[in-house]
Amino acid sequence: MIRRHHQRKQLDREAQHLAPGASEEAAIGRRVFAEGRGPVLTDLDGNQYLDFAAGTLTQSLGHTHPEVVEALTTQARRLWNVHDSATPDRAELLDLLARLLPDHLDTYALFSTGAEVVEAALRVVQATAPPGRNRIGALRHGFHGKTMGARMLVQWDVGHQAFAGNSILGYSPYCYRCPLDMEYPSCGVRCASLVRKHIADKPNVSALVFEPVLGAAGVIVPPPGYWKQISDACRSQGVLLVADEVLTGGGRTGAFLASERLGIEPDVAALSKGTANGFPFAVLAGRSAVLHDPAAARPGAYASTYASNPLGIAAARATLEVIERDQLVERVRVLGELLDARLNALHARFENLGDVRGLGLLYGLEFVTDRSSRRPAPEIARAVYATALDLGLRVALGGHILRLAPPFTIDEALLDEGVKLLEKAIEQVVA
């Protein structure tokens, strides 16, 4: 029996002053989380939950990992902010990034959030674009943050008016809901050839900004051939490839960058979420020729209030050292295969679970009213989310899709337990 007394009082107290507009999962879940240890969260009333959302798909090592806690605590006693000046640990982190990232991404700028690092990437693109290349490509269903530049990439309207963007949108590889009414592989990956035609082959396009695996859209994983066709065309036409790896960077898909696993060689990559185990931190990684371009590297170009802050550097260094030392990227691949098998068994069992897709420890479950119409069923997804929470499992909710992203450090027994709780939740909702 879930206890809620203390949480209700806390939420009622907050409601007197807190602005509305919380995430769907917070609004529906109405939990007050008080403590986290590894893959387990504890709320204010003492109820425990397996956290298959890993914070906001951020806690690669689970909650309050002791080595990250120690690094932050030690640094907090020393130094917090000196703008973007050098500090003792910064060179160590840069060397660590150079070991983990592909060799061609050898130059880095350090920021604090995913949206901020995407904006920095856009500044680089705009600064280095040749004359006449004044347009940027992006993918439909993409998500790059809530700041103005990131929103305008996908022409995301907020409020009562749209701000005109300067982007050209291409088709994402959403096979389950193909906008061209085709099926893979007989389609010949037509979506990719249209991205090539509308973006890569246009002489006025300077860059394509993309998520290798589209996260907020519901973990849309491209079919074989999609990225090869697009990246080859961009490379031959001089269009920069800017990979938004804010969610996927750091090992989440079973490679340090999802781009590596999908055979893409980006010119610039943006990382954040799991890079510092959920502590606000972000990395812009790029080719030396791009980030050292004088037009992109004018004084202040890579500076911001919290750029290179010592606390973020400490958290990122500790997180990435554990990932490297314990070979957690390889572990993600192994656990990902187990998770894939377990989730596909659920897909075979439940008619309302229209699609299951993912890579590594990142999966999306798409709920529908029925498989023939594929009509989205957000009411089912919300009910499954709430029921799973009451059973002791936390996942990430968005519309008619649930996302799963357990920490890399979870063991097989707890992975199985989490899937069983999810199965029980679906069973209770759709039975």
Side-chain angles (χ1 to χ4, degrees), residues 315-328:
R317 182 183 170 191
T319 300
L320 297 178
E321 283 178 344
V322 172
I323 287 173
E324 180 185 44
R325 182 196 68 209
D326 295 348
Q327 299 181 318
L328 292 183

Side-chain angles (χ1 to χ4, degrees), residues 21 115 118-119 138-167 169 216:
V118 168
E119 295 281 353
L139 298 180
R140 290 175 175 85
H141 304 294
F143 178 79
H144 303 286
K146 295 181 179 178
T147 52
M148 186 63 76
R151 279 170 44 196
M152 288 171 66
L153 269 175
V154 289
Q155 300 162 21
W156 176 27
D157 299 344
V158 176
H160 301 291
Q161 59 183 327
F163 289 88
N166 201 32
S167 63
L169 295 182

Side-chain angles (χ1 to χ4, degrees), residues 2 25 28-31 33 39-43 47-55 63 339 342-343 346 363 365 367 381-397 402-407 410-428:
I2 293 289
E25 60 189 61
I28 292 172
R30 291 185 58 78
R31 294 302 196 276
F33 294 111
V40 177
L41 284 167
T42 305
D43 68 25
N47 306 299
Q48 291 193 322
Y49 310 82
L50 270 178
D51 189 7
F52 269 37
H63 295 278
L339 183 59
R342 308 298 194 269
L343 294 177
L346 299 189
Y363 269 79
L365 282 64
F367 288 89
R382 287 193 290 265
V384 171
Y385 168 77
T387 303
L389 205 54
D390 285 343
L391 292 171
L393 174 70
R394 178 176 180 261
V395 296
L397 170 67
L402 298 181
R403 290 185 296 169
L404 310 183
I410 197 168
D411 62 36
E412 186 178 341
L414 286 178
L415 194 71
D416 279 337
E417 182 179 339
V419 175
K420 287 175 183 175
L421 290 172
L422 178 62
E423 180 178 22
K424 188 174 180 181
I426 299 172
E427 191 174 56
Q428 288 186 16

Side-chain angles (χ1 to χ4, degrees), residues 104 210 212 227-228 231 241 258-266:
H104 71 282
F210 63 94
W227 278 120
K228 176 169 174 49
S231 58
L241 288 166
S259 297
E260 296 177 275
R261 185 150 191 193
L262 297 172
I264 314 163
E265 191 175 291

